[in-house]
Amino acid sequence: MRTQVGIVGAGPAGLMLSHLLHLAGIDSIIVESRSRAYCEGRIRAGLIEQWVIDLLIDSGVGERLRREGMFHDGIYLCFDRALHHLDFRNLVGKQVAIYGQQEIVKDLIARRLGDGGRILFEVEDTSIHDIASTNPRIRFRQGDKAHEIECDFIGGCDGFHGVCRDTIPGDKRATFERDYPFGWLGILSESPPPADELVYTYHERGFALYTMRSPTVSRLYLQCAPDEDIANWPDARIWEELHTRIAGTKPLQEGRILQKGVTPMRSFVCEPMQYGRLFLAGDSSHIVPPTGAKGMNLAFADVRVLSRAFEAFYRSGKDDLLEAYSRTCLKRVWKAQRFSWWMTQMLHRYNLENDFDMRRQLAELDYVASSVAASTALAENYAGLPMP
Ligand code: PHB
């Protein structure tokens, strides 16, 4: 097989890259180790920034988002047993939307296949080769048949555990990492969300987040230990903790728990995001803790920059945008890292031996809720910094 851009991974980054390239008349093939059903069912991020809403609509894959997305003007901060609303529309003139990653993935897969795109699901033993040459290759197996795709470029969109990042020689990349002494226990519940917008809660027992997937399905998270055993959390304990942390500021309705799991939290960056003809995008090169809701948004930002660079290359033969890819992306990546770390350290309980941090966090929350300057800074980052 031969294509212009070989893409590893059919998550939001790989699919959007392939879609944007197609709109620019550039051919691509996606290889994915999981099944289509797995990719479309995986419950992950849910919040998109204003410019991502615009990107989905403007690129022709926003029809269902328009109908089913939940458009929010802001968020609530809950601390000291009171709710404080931050109005992004007033502060920065932007909205955000709740529209699950799996819905975006479904829309993009349907559109790619409808446009005649090639997505190869359930491939095995994927490896990439010759990335320092002008003819990189993707090799994989399907059943007992070995295959090879010859490409001009490779998009490494295969997530944190994918194979692409590790093919960059160790002495040609650096990694920056931070672990947190807590994780999130997340549930999906058949019950209406407690508020019309997201509630980020700081409580002496720990952080909680009340978000949603639809008017009748809530997505609820509790700060827990990073290695928490889900077996220690029967449904009744989860609900009790969720009630305690929202502290009566909104009525919390219980429902059937459809899914439960623990997510560890980390901050991670691999630099540079490119080597030879391999370009990393999304989780393959950076991970943020979920508190800032930046993960999927960053993946889209990477592929927006990358698709424009490929377009310039194929149109005029110029590779200056491709050369600048990593530098361009990392500016946004590090700002998102800073914001995600900042939200995380402000909202989680740690240093339990000493209440200094708790007093400091409450002061910071009060400052953010009461100062126009501070709430504007949060709103500007949360609703999405301008795209280059
Ligand atoms: C979600 O809806 O799953 C979600 C929203 C905002 C976050 C994290 C997760 O900060």
Side-chain angles (χ1 to χ4, degrees), residues 15 18-19 22 30 36 40 105-121:
L15 289 164
S18 180
H19 174 56
H22 173 73
I30 304 179
R36 178 175 178 181
E40 293 184 339
V105 164
K106 278 182 216 161
D107 295 344
L108 283 168
I109 289 176
R111 179 60 187 261
R112 280 314 292 126
L113 296 177
D115 284 343
R118 287 178 285 179
I119 309 175
L120 310 176
F121 289 102

Side-chain angles (χ1 to χ4, degrees), residues 138 160 318 329 364:
I138 302 176
F160 184 69
K318 284 202 185 134
C329 289
E364 183 155 32

Side-chain angles (χ1 to χ4, degrees), residues 44-47 98 184 198 200 207 209 211-213 219 221 290-294 382:
R44 292 274 175 93
L47 188 126
I98 285 286
W184 281 11
L198 275 57
Y200 286 82
F207 169 79
L209 173 62
T211 167
M212 61 199 75
R213 285 295 174 272
R219 180 91 170 127
Y221 299 98
T291 330
K294 287 284 160 264
Y382 193 99

Side-chain angles (χ1 to χ4, degrees), residues 162-365:
V163 298
C164 289
R165 184 177 64 250
D166 285 344
T167 57
I168 300 179
D171 61 338
K172 301 289 185 212
R173 62 188 149 100
T175 56
F176 302 87
E177 206 164 354
R178 176 181 192 122
D179 286 323
Y180 298 87
F182 37 78
W184 281 11
L185 190 161
I187 65 164
L188 194 68
S189 162
E190 226 168 32
S191 53
D196 54 339
E197 292 175 350
L198 275 57
V199 183
Y200 286 82
T201 302
Y202 179 84
H203 189 277
E204 64 213 31
R205 295 183 58 81
F207 169 79
L209 173 62
Y210 304 79
T211 167
M212 61 199 75
R213 285 295 174 272
S214 77
T216 54
V217 176
S218 295
R219 180 91 170 127
L220 307 168
Y221 299 98
L222 289 168
Q223 178 183 346
C224 63
D227 53 354
E228 190 75 55
D229 183 355
I230 196 80
N232 293 331
W233 288 84
D235 296 1
R237 182 175 174 206
I238 295 176
W239 287 113
E240 190 185 324
E241 218 37 60
L242 285 165
H243 283 296
T244 303
R245 297 189 194 181
I246 204 166
T249 56
K250 285 281 179 187
L252 176 66
Q253 224 170 291
E254 297 183 14
R256 191 160 63 96
I257 296 184
L258 305 170
Q259 198 236 16
K260 285 190 211 192
V262 172
T263 324
M265 302 248 256
R266 74 160 75 77
S267 302
F268 173 88
V269 181
C270 167
E271 292 186 8
M273 293 168 59
Q274 67 195 91
Y275 179 76
R277 292 228 161 175
L278 169 67
F279 296 84
L280 302 177
D283 284 4
S284 66
S285 67
H286 41 72
I287 296 288
V288 286
T291 330
K294 287 284 160 264
M296 182 165 60
N297 294 294
L298 272 187
F300 285 132
D302 291 348
V303 299
R304 175 75 281 193
V305 172
L306 188 53
S307 66
R308 287 202 178 118
F310 283 140
E311 230 179 297
F313 176 84
Y314 284 112
R315 205 174 339 104
S316 63
K318 284 202 185 134
D319 64 1
D320 51 328
L321 292 183
L322 280 173
E323 282 294 313
Y325 169 71
S326 179
R327 247 179 298 127
T328 307
C329 289
L330 284 170
K331 285 189 183 177
R332 188 181 191 85
V333 166
W334 276 108
K335 288 187 190 107
Q337 289 289 355
R338 185 211 61 86
F339 177 68
S340 304
W341 161 84
W342 176 76
M343 287 284 280
T344 302
Q345 63 78 36
M346 177 170 68
L347 286 161
H348 290 75
R349 213 37 190 110
Y350 55 95
N351 273 347
L352 297 179
E353 329 66 65
N354 180 331
D355 282 346
F356 181 90
D357 278 313
M358 185 164 77
R359 292 286 189 273
R360 176 188 62 76
Q361 288 167 314
L362 287 168
E364 183 155 32
L365 284 161

